[in-house]
Amino acid sequence: MNHSPAEKHRLRLLAYGAGFFLSFSTAIGAYINSSFISQFVGEQRVGLLYSFAAAISLLASWQGLRLFRRFGNRRSIIFLGVTNFLVLGNLALGNGHYSGIWLVVAYIVLSFLTAINLDIYLEELSDNQITGRIRGVFLTVNNLAWLISPFLASRLTSGSDFSLVYTIAATALLPFIYISVRQLKEVVKRGGENLSLASGLGRVFASNNPDLRRIMTIDLLLNFFSAMMVIYMPIYLHQHIGLAWTQIGVIFTIMLIPFVLLDFPLGRIADLWWGERELLLAGLTIIIIACLIITQISSASVVIWASVLFFSRIGAATVEAMKETYLFKIIDGRDANLVFISRSMYPIAYIFAPIIASIFLSFLPLSYLFTFLGLFLIIGLPVASGLRDTR
């Protein structure tokens, strides 16, 4: 559907606003979901629930693609947002009930599907010459929501009562739903080819476009790094280094700052001066070095841990901004299958990372897991160096 440049700009601003509220609703619950679930299944089985939620997200995302094709992008966003609001409302009202486990799984899945649909919506409003800046602004706005969420969640939680957190998460969806219903317009055409996940992955990795395979591989490696860090770093800092949760909260807030500060300027740099390849290589190198340093640290200093994790996220933020910019420059909004495949790397990583880590930890201590992670990510260096810059 054709829109004037001014209308596209207006709709992009609305999509940024919708993305902020959606990310806030997702992020504020993300820090307490595991604690909520552990009340019913124990800490040892929390990881299995996350893997299960990731598998459901993976399968549901492809069914969600059919929904998008049948009803259109905007209507799908509204349907998913309203359903997620009802799920969170039930979580807030029924806090402490066993059925809450499945509501949390539904909350994770619905948040994931809504984010994918919003990605496709924004892509249709993007011109390649400014894709880096558009993705940079979008990531910065979303990451700002993630940055403030740990601070708020820690103050809204009282013992094992998480109802206020889920109430705030549901409330944050109200402006998201309002923007979607009253302000957004349909921009993505319906139709397109329906593919299974297996055939979609096969098509990407057997594609004649080597750059598509390479950027998807980088996408998977970044999500693998994130999954390992999100699941195992809190356990390592608390149970092995001996830091209190309040100290870990401070460390994680500082750690996330690069995602807010760097995404937009890096997107602008990629558009105007440097290519994505050089920045991807720099970001991957920083992540690898940080992972190797982590194993060597035995200190319980908040400053040291905040510094090294901040350093690691400089690399992660750089890789995130560049792989988003590169991917959305070589596809457009009609390539919904490719957007879904890219976003499928997140649940795929969350399915396999705990399994690989569990096997590793049956032989070696947790501290060496980060060395393994750093060495594993070296795979990404020759992959990134083979990319052709889009400039």
Side-chain angles (χ1 to χ4, degrees), residues 309-384:
L309 292 180
F310 179 88
F311 179 62
S312 73
R313 289 337 189 256
I314 290 176
T318 303
V319 174
E320 179 187 63
M322 291 305 101
K323 68 95 178 168
E324 287 285 292
T325 299
Y326 195 92
L327 176 66
F328 284 95
K329 279 185 177 178
I330 62 175
I331 67 174
D332 60 35
R334 290 165 294 185
D335 297 321
N337 281 320
L338 296 179
V339 177
F340 270 73
I341 290 170
S342 170
R343 296 307 180 247
S344 296
M345 298 304 164
Y346 171 81
I348 288 174
Y350 268 80
I351 291 171
F352 288 104
I355 295 172
I356 293 172
S358 297
I359 296 172
F360 182 90
L361 293 174
S362 65
F363 297 100
L364 290 169
L366 180 55
S367 59
Y368 289 100
L369 182 65
F370 304 106
T371 300
F372 162 76
L373 180 59
L375 295 175
F376 182 77
L377 292 175
I378 290 176
I379 295 171
L381 295 177
V383 175

Side-chain angles (χ1 to χ4, degrees), residues 150-314:
F151 177 82
L152 289 176
S154 65
R155 281 149 181 80
L156 294 172
T157 303
S158 175
S160 60
D161 184 1
F162 305 102
S163 57
L164 190 54
V165 175
Y166 290 123
T167 300
I168 297 298
T171 304
L173 283 179
L174 291 177
F176 171 82
I177 293 169
Y178 174 80
I179 292 171
S180 303
V181 172
R182 304 286 298 181
Q183 301 292 328
L184 295 184
K185 295 180 179 177
E186 193 66 71
V187 296
V188 183
K189 294 176 181 176
R190 303 180 200 179
E193 185 180 8
N194 284 322
L195 292 175
S196 68
L197 173 61
S199 59
L201 288 171
R203 184 172 293 186
V204 166
F205 287 97
S207 165
N208 292 326
N209 183 350
D211 291 329
L212 183 60
R213 293 197 302 270
R214 290 172 182 136
I215 202 63
M216 289 290 185
T217 303
I218 297 294
D219 200 343
L220 180 60
L221 289 173
L222 178 64
N223 279 295
F224 188 82
F225 164 79
S226 298
M228 285 284 194
M229 284 292 181
V230 167
I231 296 171
Y232 293 102
M233 182 53 70
I235 297 173
Y236 185 63
L237 291 178
H238 185 60
Q239 298 182 11
H240 295 260
I241 299 298
L243 292 172
W245 285 114
T246 51
Q247 294 173 303
I248 293 171
V250 172
I251 291 170
F252 283 179
T253 299
I254 295 171
M255 173 187 80
L256 293 172
I257 290 174
F259 289 103
V260 176
L261 296 182
L262 296 181
D263 281 340
F264 177 69
L266 286 174
R268 186 174 175 80
I269 288 171
D271 281 344
L272 299 178
W273 296 295
W274 290 0
E276 294 88 0
R277 181 179 61 184
E278 291 79 4
L279 290 169
L280 275 170
L281 284 168
L284 280 168
T285 302
I286 290 172
I287 294 174
I288 292 167
I289 292 172
C291 287
L292 297 178
I293 291 174
I294 286 171
T295 304
Q296 309 302 319
I297 302 174
S298 58
S299 169
S301 166
V302 171
V303 174
I304 290 175
W305 279 107
S307 299
V308 72
L309 292 180
F310 179 88
F311 179 62
S312 73
R313 289 337 189 256
I314 290 176

